[in-house]
Amino acid sequence: MMERIGILTSGGDAPGMNACIRSVVRTGFKKKIDVIGIEYGYKGLLNSNFINLTPESVTNIIHKGGTILKTNRCKEFKIKKYRKIAFDNLRNENIEGLIIMGGDGSFKGASIFANEFKMPIVGIPSTIDNDINGTDYSIGFNTAVQTIMDSVDKIRDTASSHERIFFIEVMGRNSGHLAINAGNATGAELIMIPEIKIKNIDLLVKKIKEINNKKKSIIIIYAEGCNLGPVDKITNYVQKKMKNSNVRFSILGHIQRGGSPCEKDRINSSLLGYYSVNELIKKDKSKIIGIKNDKVIVLDLEKTIKGKKEIDKNLFKITEIINNY
Ligand code: F6P
């Protein structure tokens, strides 16, 4: 059993983080565990940005995007001497274990820290990129897909009125999970993702021309990590090769990370928050609490972060079949 645990949010924020913080705090309260909020991610560990979280302090946040704990990408945490400062600060505060909400990078830091100082840690996948190995779902993903959908639907109206070809850049860092789901849900004629490299750009132009012969307006979902580089560059290239068409691009940007979490992101956040506290207080090896096949699962933190999550090939293939004729 533990008496005091800490929670922090790290990396890019994700809708649902607040719902999860709320769940952790209220679960801790029922178990008579003090939950300390660490502000500004790992940076807050270095600077002792600790705040007491009470059941009242997390009232009315279930529906709010962002994170009340603030977040950060902390370069210093990659250096051992700073991690030692972080550990000493935690010890001074009598914090016995940590819940870390974040993505791949945050979990890598967590795993090193856990090993170095024998600090029990539970990671909760929280990133719109949905790229945590061994899990199907991460907090914020579904809201982000919904946001992309709403935007692409609007672009579809104008693309079709002007008979234009649109490249729409979506986030995802080095992964295409957001792009595939958004592409399926918006009926995008083409989805370009980092996992499938384009070796010959002229073959791509040929494919766009073929689609364009049937439909005069095309939506291409372009994941930011694609191997062809910046979306404006590829748009210009295609425009030069298709002089009779109108080619445009739109970068959706940080709009994808904000907003009120959707139903799934709220419910899963509540579940993952609850189970993370139960897992942490076992003082076992460090873990990730995730969701696979619609069930809450427990994974070994160290082993899980070594692998890369594969794309849903089946969804990609079916989307290609049904979004074109
Ligand atoms: O990891 C989440 C994410 O939104 C990525 O999809 C994106 O590449 C990155 O963060 C952007 O980070 P920043 O807000 O620091 O520019």
Side-chain angles (χ1 to χ4, degrees):
M1 195 60 183
M2 290 183 185
E3 286 175 10
R4 253 165 112 74
I5 63 173
I7 177 167
L8 62 84
T9 50
S10 167
D13 59 346
M17 278 181 159
N18 284 329
C20 190
I21 295 166
R22 170 180 177 272
S23 167
V24 166
V25 173
R26 300 254 168 104
T27 305
F29 180 73
K30 291 277 158 64
K31 292 181 180 293
K32 303 200 182 335
I33 299 166
D34 291 337
V35 180
I36 308 301
I38 299 145
E39 294 179 306
Y40 307 105
Y42 291 126
K43 207 174 198 116
L45 279 183
L46 304 180
N47 300 328
S48 291
N49 297 123
F50 300 132
I51 53 167
N52 284 325
L53 292 171
T54 62
E56 299 80 38
S57 70
V58 292
T59 295
N60 289 345
I61 63 167
I62 194 168
H63 61 295
K64 291 202 167 118
T67 159
I68 57 159
L69 291 178
K70 316 284 178 189
T71 186
N72 208 299
R73 300 189 200 280
C74 178
K75 289 198 189 85
E76 289 97 327
F77 203 68
K78 292 187 175 150
I79 302 165
K80 188 164 181 181
K81 75 169 181 191
Y82 290 107
R83 289 196 297 272
K84 172 79 172 70
I85 295 173
F87 176 70
D88 290 342
N89 289 341
L90 283 171
R91 214 174 30 191
N92 288 340
E93 196 68 21
N94 294 323
I95 295 174
E96 299 160 86
L98 281 179
I99 292 175
I100 294 188
M101 302 183 65
D104 226 21
S106 310
F107 289 171
K108 284 194 175 118
S111 174
I112 297 169
F113 190 65
N115 279 334
E116 260 170 7
F117 301 105
K118 305 287 160 265
M119 167 68 58
I121 288 181
V122 172
I124 304 179
S126 316
T127 161
I128 63 162
D129 301 342
N130 200 15
D131 58 350
I132 304 300
N133 184 37
T135 69
D136 290 340
Y137 164 86
S138 84
I139 291 173
F141 177 67
N142 289 78
T143 304
V145 172
Q146 181 69 47
T147 303
I148 298 172
M149 244 169 63
D150 294 344
S151 307
V152 174
D153 289 351
K154 292 188 168 92
I155 294 175
R156 176 74 82 178
D157 289 342
T158 173
S160 121
S161 306
H162 287 262
E163 296 194 331
R164 282 174 171 164
I165 296 167
F166 260 90
F167 281 88
I168 302 175
E169 187 193 279
V170 300
M171 281 188 170
R173 206 177 281 275
N174 301 317
S175 63
H177 307 286
L178 263 182
I180 295 176
N181 279 46
N184 177 284
T186 56
E189 283 74 16
L190 256 179
I191 303 171
M192 296 172 64
I193 54 173
E195 290 87 345
I196 301 179
K197 306 252 179 295
I198 305 284
K199 295 192 183 103
N200 184 336
I201 189 164
D202 292 314
L203 281 182
L204 173 76
V205 176
K206 188 167 168 258
K207 194 166 175 183
I208 296 173
K209 280 182 181 163
E210 276 163 18
I211 301 171
N212 197 232
N213 285 337
K214 292 190 189 144
K215 303 178 182 175
K216 291 291 164 220
S217 80
I218 301 178
I219 296 291
I220 302 167
I221 300 289
Y222 187 86
E224 63 178 349
C226 280
N227 71 309
L228 293 181
V231 70
D232 53 337
K233 205 179 99 197
I234 167 83
T235 303
N236 290 340
Y237 186 85
V238 175
Q239 179 66 84
K240 274 192 199 120
K241 298 279 172 177
M242 296 180 70
K243 293 228 159 46
N244 295 328
S245 299
N246 256 307
V247 191
R248 294 283 192 278
F249 70 90
S250 176
I251 300 175
L252 298 188
H254 286 82
I255 196 167
Q256 296 163 93
R257 283 229 302 257
S260 178
C262 66
E263 176 213 358
K264 190 165 176 177
D265 283 331
R266 295 184 195 195
I267 294 175
N268 284 346
S269 291
S270 298
L271 289 174
L272 292 172
Y274 172 84
Y275 284 108
S276 68
V277 176
N278 284 306
E279 201 53 45
L280 186 67
I281 58 179
K282 290 182 189 164
K283 294 188 179 172
D284 210 359
K285 271 196 88 187
S286 289
K287 300 280 164 49
I288 286 177
I289 291 282
I291 290 186
K292 182 126 189 123
N293 298 326
D294 292 324
K295 296 227 158 45
V296 175
I297 52 159
V298 182
L299 300 166
D300 182 275
L301 173 69
E302 206 180 331
K303 281 191 200 140
T304 306
I305 53 158
K306 285 190 182 135
K308 178 164 164 59
K309 179 173 167 181
E310 289 205 3
I311 54 158
D312 186 338
K313 291 195 183 104
N314 197 42
L315 181 62
F316 187 80
K317 189 185 83 190
I318 293 171
T319 304
E320 271 201 318
I321 294 169
I322 60 176
N323 285 5
N324 282 299
Y325 48 85

